[in-house]
Amino acid sequence: MMKNKVIHNKIKVIIVLFVIAFTQIGIAQSSPKEEDYYRITKVPTPEGVKVEGGGVVSLPDGTIAVCTRRGDVWIIENPTMANGHPSKFIKFASGLHEPLGLAYKDGALYTAQRGELTKLVDTDGDRIADVYKTVYAWPLSTHYHEYSFGPVLAPDNAFFVTANVAFGNEEWWRGESRVLWRGWTMKIYEDGQMEPWATGMRSPAGYGLIDDELFYTDNQGDWVGSGGLWHLPKGVFTAHPAGLKWSEHKDSPIKLTKEAFYGKIDKRQVKKNGRYVKPENIIDEKDPDFVYEAKASFPEVQLPAVVLPHGILGISNSEIKVDKTGGKFGPFSGQVFVGDMGQSKIMRVVLEKVKGEYQGVAFDFRSGFQSGVMRMDFDQNGNLFVGETNRGWGSAGTTNSGLEYLTWTGRIPFEMKTVKSMPDGFEIEFTKPVDKSTAEDLDSYQGKSYIYKYHAAYGSPQANLETINLKGVKVSIDGYKVRIVTDNLTPFYVHEITLNGVKEKESGQLTLHPTFYYTLNNIADGDKLELSQLSTKRSSSIKKQTVKMKPRVNKKAVAKKQPVLTDEQVQPLLTNNTCVACHHKEKRLVGPSFKLIAKRNYTDEEMVQLIYNPQPKNWPEYATPMAPMPQVPKDEALKIAAWINALD
């Protein structure tokens, strides 16, 4: 009896050890997720309160101030609900005209309404503003798109405000500056003086200081092929020509005129049967314009420091925020975070100066917010508060507005920490050491380069696509850095490289976000690596030597109609070709749902042609027109079309 009991206990121990081992293996092999490293927490709002976060700022006393698109400013006490106590919302100000930004200075809050920079002061300490003071006012027309964004507090205690363009009457698609300083950035002083700063803005929803220099983000549209991040020193012209209407004003720091600009760049203004025709992307265009070519003619032109490829790294870029938390927010201290309204997510950017100009790399960072990410600010504990709205345009997520905060869980993800330009390629630095055998395999990398057109059409497809040819790689001794060498770097192009096989040394996991997007305005100087220093091995060549040749098959004899892909099978195609940026299977986002598209009864071929050359007139109820996507491979487009049609 005793013997049986001993045997029984031994079996139990073995089973327990087996379960523990199996569980650990399962954990090690499970794919890491963004929420494992950065947790999103919703801040509950009082009943009836709509926090459409137009501005967010952390205050010295630990509270958070939020202004809403509907015209209120709230002070939120205990915003993280510490110690299990609820947050307290106090209405600080109301009756404002669509404020879209907040700044704090010397005990006062400042916000940019549609037509003025306003100072809000609480004089008696009851957390309610007693003074609403106009610092500076600017003209408005009646157009809905004339948003004003800001302010950004400058190092000299002045303020920067950016101003949207309106759109035409006859040409409803063409951005225009109907009144003075629309499409401009203004520098405004406390005493009410205003200094026109720069122009070329279309929809400059994001702004911020990086190393005490002004940067802004713009949204894809006419003349803006893709969203991106621009450095904005005084006197530059970025992209959109509408603001050049005021370049001959006595206070303008820019002398480039609309006439000179359109003398070089085709305005694409055509009338047929007495009506203007909306400019569209020209497929297989022989000689499209690119913005770097305009810079050769007009030195005022400022290239984007970092392009955020449309549909991949957002569709409506917003706030710029530098991590100054000293490590409280994780391993990316000093880096730049950029929000996006349409995709309800945040990207990560690292800048460097090469030959005197900013350029750099962008990565995906965190998605899954409940609405469009509009404004962000870090609190004193390293939490990133996010004010959200989608203004009814649609965004990923479950709501039209909200307030959430992002917290680092303390775990370090396996990521590309940064990427730097080299004279013969790029140097990648990781958060953890890489597995050398996978990092030295050229088959672990896949890349392409491309550029966006500079034209009056709405947005641009990726143009001049070229495969990046990797010559070799070199892994540092400690495994934290990988130098990749290529023979076809192209100035002014985005270089997109995916690490589809590089694994972490300890866990064997792939990077959480495997793709980087480097905007190469200048190729760095320095020494190039000799071929003898590089690994040039390819695992695919080894496999080819060991695989036996299969007998030849008469393909025509066995040809059958390809089956429709399942939801799981089609998902990588939808993701890689950025379809999910604007479309969802069931519900409306920026564009119609896939099921609604299926009801239109397009053939597969017709749908492919609409991917390549969209017709926004077919969907007039959607405010944001789809950009042309001729870069989608025909075979993949057909598979996507067949899947959509099978939903009906």
Side-chain angles (χ1 to χ4, degrees):
M1 192 76 173
M2 182 63 70
K3 184 177 180 182
N4 290 339
K5 188 173 181 180
V6 171
I7 293 171
H8 181 70
N9 287 338
K10 286 183 178 180
I11 292 172
K12 284 176 68 177
V13 170
I14 292 170
I15 291 173
V16 169
L17 291 173
F18 176 79
V19 170
I20 292 172
F22 183 83
T23 303
Q24 290 176 337
I25 291 170
I27 292 171
Q29 291 179 344
S30 63
S31 298
K33 299 179 176 61
E34 291 176 340
E35 55 263 35
D36 296 334
Y37 309 98
Y38 288 91
R39 182 178 61 249
I40 296 174
T41 303
K42 178 181 178 180
V43 180
T45 56
E47 186 176 352
V49 174
K50 293 287 186 182
V51 183
E52 295 183 77
V56 175
V57 64
S58 177
L59 302 178
D61 63 359
T63 60
I64 297 291
V66 179
C67 68
T68 76
R69 193 175 66 81
R70 299 185 180 215
D72 298 323
V73 179
W74 296 89
I75 302 295
I76 306 172
E77 296 179 344
N78 191 27
T80 61
M81 299 160 285
N83 301 317
H85 299 301
S87 303
K88 182 180 179 181
F89 281 65
I90 303 168
K91 187 179 285 189
F92 180 77
S94 61
L96 303 172
H97 190 181
E98 205 160 38
L100 291 174
L102 276 178
Y104 175 83
K105 186 183 80 165
D106 299 333
L109 287 172
Y110 295 77
T111 187
Q113 300 188 63
R114 278 213 170 215
E116 69 168 59
L117 176 62
T118 307
K119 181 178 182 179
L120 303 169
V121 186
D122 170 18
T123 60
D124 57 10
D126 64 354
R127 294 203 183 280
I128 298 175
D130 309 298
V131 176
Y132 293 58
K133 178 184 177 182
T134 299
V135 180
Y136 178 78
W138 47 85
L140 285 173
S141 76
T142 58
H143 197 273
Y144 85 96
H145 203 255
E146 286 185 341
Y147 306 111
S148 300
F149 303 107
V152 177
L153 183 60
D156 61 358
N157 281 327
F159 302 92
F160 289 110
V161 173
T162 59
N164 254 29
V165 298
F167 288 99
N169 290 322
E170 286 188 89
E171 296 179 281
W172 57 263
W173 54 82
R174 191 179 296 274
E176 63 181 33
S177 182
R178 292 185 175 184
V179 292
L180 188 61
W181 309 127
R182 278 284 144 191
W184 282 71
T185 294
M186 299 172 279
K187 188 175 185 182
I188 301 168
Y189 295 86
E190 186 75 46
D191 62 3
Q193 298 299 307
M194 192 279 288
E195 178 184 346
W197 186 260
T199 193
M201 290 87 241
R202 178 188 176 273
S203 189
Y207 45 73
L209 293 182
I210 303 173
D211 294 330
D212 287 340
E213 296 190 63
L214 182 63
F215 285 75
Y216 88 102
T217 62
D218 215 329
N219 289 186
Q220 185 202 52
D222 56 320
W223 297 105
V224 184
S226 176
L229 177 67
W230 277 261
H231 178 218
L232 205 62
K234 185 177 181 180
V236 299
F237 165 67
T238 51
H240 200 287
L244 293 176
K245 179 178 181 178
W246 313 108
S247 63
E248 295 181 273
H249 188 281
K250 63 181 180 62
D251 295 329
S252 170
I254 297 167
K255 301 310 174 189
L256 174 62
T257 64
K258 283 201 307 181
E259 292 72 23
F261 178 83
Y262 290 130
K264 287 279 188 180
I265 310 293
D266 186 2
K267 191 176 183 180
R268 300 277 298 274
Q269 192 173 42
V270 178
K271 268 189 174 182
K272 289 184 180 179
N273 301 321
R275 300 184 66 180
Y276 286 107
V277 178
K278 183 183 177 184
E280 301 287 356
N281 176 61
I282 301 171
I283 297 177
D284 298 326
E285 192 171 3
K286 294 293 186 289
D287 187 25
D289 289 322
F290 300 114
V291 69
Y292 74 87
E293 296 171 331
K295 185 175 179 64
S297 299
F298 309 119
E300 302 95 332
V301 170
Q302 182 79 342
L303 302 176
V306 173
V307 173
L308 298 169
H310 184 76
I312 303 171
L313 297 183
I315 56 175
S316 44
N317 306 140
S318 57
E319 182 79 289
I320 301 164
K321 192 60 60 175
V322 179
D323 177 3
K324 297 181 180 180
T325 66
K328 294 178 182 178
F329 195 64
F332 307 115
S333 184
Q335 296 188 9
V336 182
F337 294 89
V338 179
D340 187 75
M341 193 177 77
Q343 290 188 329
S344 302
K345 69 177 184 178
I346 298 173
M347 291 77 68
R348 183 166 57 89
V349 168
V350 187
L351 294 168
E352 61 175 331
K353 264 189 175 179
V354 177
K355 298 179 180 176
E357 291 185 287
Y358 282 103
Q359 60 187 44
V361 66
F363 311 92
D364 244 326
F365 177 66
R366 185 62 164 98
S367 58
F369 293 92
Q370 65 182 5
S371 189
V373 175
M374 186 65 181
R375 294 287 175 253
M376 307 182 294
D377 199 18
F378 287 100
D379 72 1
Q380 297 162 359
N381 297 316
N383 301 300
L384 181 60
F385 278 82
V386 179
E388 300 160 349
T389 179
N390 63 22
R391 193 214 162 266
W393 271 320
S395 66
T398 57
T399 67
N400 294 324
S401 62
L403 179 66
E404 298 179 291
Y405 62 92
L406 192 63
T407 306
W408 180 43
T409 65
R411 295 178 60 187
I412 295 178
F414 177 49
E415 290 273 49
M416 290 178 277
K417 187 174 183 179
T418 187
V419 175
K420 293 183 178 180
S421 172
M422 293 290 158
D424 50 4
F426 302 96
E427 182 182 75
I428 308 169
E429 181 181 349
F430 294 85
T431 57
K432 297 180 179 181
V434 299
D435 169 63
K436 191 172 182 180
S437 64
T438 58
E440 288 186 338
D441 182 358
L442 294 189
D443 287 335
S444 292
Y445 308 84
Q446 185 176 6
K448 62 180 179 178
S449 61
Y450 49 86
I451 195 170
Y452 292 93
K453 297 180 184 179
Y454 187 45
H455 58 190
Y458 189 100
S460 165
Q462 295 175 0
N464 294 2
L465 273 80
E466 183 179 9
T467 298
I468 294 176
N469 302 317
L470 293 184
K471 294 175 63 178
V473 297
K474 181 180 180 181
V475 181
S476 64
I477 294 173
D478 62 6
Y480 277 95
K481 293 181 180 180
V482 174
R483 181 98 171 252
I484 56 177
V485 175
T486 176
D487 60 3
N488 57 336
L489 294 175
T490 309
F492 313 117
Y493 280 55
V494 176
H495 292 69
E496 174 185 321
I497 297 181
T498 299
L499 281 56
N500 48 30
V502 177
K503 297 180 179 180
E504 184 193 348
K505 182 179 179 180
E506 293 298 325
S507 69
Q509 291 175 335
L510 299 172
T511 52
L512 184 61
H513 298 102
T515 304
F516 74 78
Y517 307 84
Y518 193 101
T519 302
L520 191 74
N521 289 326
N522 289 295
I523 297 175
D525 292 328
D527 296 329
K528 297 182 179 181
L529 293 181
E530 298 291 336
L531 193 60
S532 59
Q533 298 176 268
L534 305 175
S535 168
T536 59
K537 74 173 185 179
R538 288 189 180 274
S539 55
S540 58
S541 62
I542 298 172
K543 291 175 184 176
K544 286 178 182 177
Q545 294 173 13
T546 59
V547 174
K548 294 181 179 180
M549 293 295 292
K550 294 181 179 179
R552 299 189 67 176
V553 178
N554 185 339
K555 293 183 179 179
K556 290 184 179 180
V558 298
K560 294 181 181 179
K561 185 177 179 180
Q562 290 293 320
V564 175
L565 299 181
T566 65
D567 289 4
E568 186 178 358
Q569 290 170 331
V570 81
Q571 194 60 41
L573 299 183
L574 298 177
T575 302
N576 294 340
N577 292 304
T578 72
C579 308
V580 292
C582 298
H583 302 282
H584 185 274
K585 180 181 176 181
E586 307 279 352
K587 63 183 181 180
R588 169 176 177 157
L589 290 180
V590 179
S593 70
F594 292 124
K595 281 192 172 182
L596 189 59
I597 296 170
K599 292 183 183 298
R600 292 294 179 94
N601 294 320
Y602 298 120
T603 66
D604 292 356
E605 282 289 347
E606 286 173 335
M607 202 176 294
V608 169
Q609 291 310 309
L610 288 171
I611 292 172
Y612 293 160
N613 191 27
Q615 298 296 315
K617 64 184 179 182
N618 295 349
W619 301 90
E621 65 271 37
Y622 292 85
T624 304
M626 177 176 166
M629 306 288 286
Q631 71 272 16
V632 179
K634 179 73 177 290
D635 63 325
E636 294 185 10
L638 282 169
K639 289 176 181 176
I640 292 169
W643 173 78
I644 293 173
N645 278 330
L647 299 175
D648 187 13

